[in-house]
Amino acid sequence: NTLYTLSVSGYAQTWTNTGLSALNWFGCDMSETGQYMAICGSFQYIQISNDYGQTWSSKGINTVDWRDIAVSSSGKYMTATPANSGSIGYIYISSDYGQTWNPTGTTTIGARNYGSIALSSSGQYQIVSSIVNLFRSDDYGITWTQTSLGGGSFQQIAMSASGQYCTTTESINTLYKSR
């Protein structure tokens, strides 16, 4: 699989091959302006760009089967989750534009099969799906608590810019929303 970016002035009209190839890229996100971009994949280093996708650098660890990555509006806060395909791992966070990555939730929610991740615009509020639960953070991903919704195989998750509203899908064709 190959990563492509679009030109800043192209409005998705012009795509450029970045030269970054991997077995499987899964997650990608970017800051509001597009200056900070992040991608993750299967047993690959997290790739970070701070120049609108012109250049990329490897960050974090490459022993995780990464599933998803989310970036705050400013690009300062990033969170990555391991795949829910049998690879158990910790949520990783960065608070310095993706330059350093640290595991989080190691003592509260532990290693799990996580899935999709979503952040509020500021990055303060975060929500992550797992095979059987949803977890939320109100402090930039430092601490995590289980939400009241559990017992499903949650797939995708989304959060409003304020962090007040969320929606998630479950693999048995159910859609949930919160407020």
Side-chain angles (χ1 to χ4, degrees), residues 104-110 112 135 142-145:
T104 183
T106 56
T107 58
T108 54
I109 59 174
R112 294 178 184 265
F135 298 92
I142 296 168
T143 60
W144 294 86
T145 56

Side-chain angles (χ1 to χ4, degrees), residues 38-83:
I39 61 168
C40 64
S42 183
F43 299 103
Q44 303 292 320
Y45 286 103
I46 293 170
Q47 298 293 317
I48 301 294
S49 174
N50 61 10
D51 59 5
Y52 301 94
Q54 297 301 306
T55 60
W56 295 86
S57 58
S58 298
K59 303 294 179 182
I61 60 174
N62 68 344
T63 57
V64 174
D65 188 8
W66 298 111
R67 165 61 166 85
D68 201 9
I69 195 161
V71 179
S72 68
S73 179
S74 69
K76 182 175 181 179
Y77 299 98
M78 300 182 185
T79 302
T81 57

Side-chain angles (χ1 to χ4, degrees), residues 18 30 45 48 75 81 102 115-116:
T18 64
M30 68 178 68
Y45 286 103
I48 301 294
T81 57
N102 296 297
S116 182

Side-chain angles (χ1 to χ4, degrees), residues 1-175:
N1 292 345
T2 304
L3 175 70
Y4 292 90
T5 60
L6 61 109
S7 66
V8 175
S9 62
Y11 296 95
Q13 297 298 314
T14 305
W15 292 86
T16 305
N17 183 337
T18 64
L20 289 175
S21 295
L23 180 60
N24 288 305
W25 292 120
F26 288 116
C28 62
D29 201 10
M30 68 178 68
S31 63
E32 184 176 351
T33 64
Q35 179 179 356
Y36 298 97
M37 298 179 178
I39 61 168
C40 64
S42 183
F43 299 103
Q44 303 292 320
Y45 286 103
I46 293 170
Q47 298 293 317
I48 301 294
S49 174
N50 61 10
D51 59 5
Y52 301 94
Q54 297 301 306
T55 60
W56 295 86
S57 58
S58 298
K59 303 294 179 182
I61 60 174
N62 68 344
T63 57
V64 174
D65 188 8
W66 298 111
R67 165 61 166 85
D68 201 9
I69 195 161
V71 179
S72 68
S73 179
S74 69
K76 182 175 181 179
Y77 299 98
M78 300 182 185
T79 302
T81 57
N84 58 2
S85 60
S87 173
I88 295 176
Y90 295 106
I91 298 169
Y92 275 71
I93 59 173
S94 173
S95 59
D96 59 2
Y97 300 91
Q99 297 306 299
T100 58
W101 291 85
N102 296 297
T104 183
T106 56
T107 58
T108 54
I109 59 174
R112 294 178 184 265
N113 294 325
Y114 295 104
S116 182
I117 179 83
L119 275 61
S120 64
S121 179
S122 69
Q124 178 180 353
Y125 302 103
Q126 304 188 12
I127 192 156
V128 63
S129 65
S130 77
I131 287 182
V132 295
N133 294 103
L134 299 176
F135 298 92
R136 69 177 180 82
S137 172
D138 297 335
D139 58 5
Y140 301 93
I142 296 168
T143 60
W144 294 86
T145 56
Q146 184 177 325
T147 70
S148 60
L149 183 62
S153 181
F154 301 103
Q155 303 298 312
Q156 294 296 317
I157 196 152
M159 178 178 273
S160 65
S162 67
Q164 183 177 4
Y165 300 99
C166 297
T167 187
T168 186
T169 58
E170 189 179 19
S171 64
I172 57 171
N173 301 322
T174 305
L175 174 67

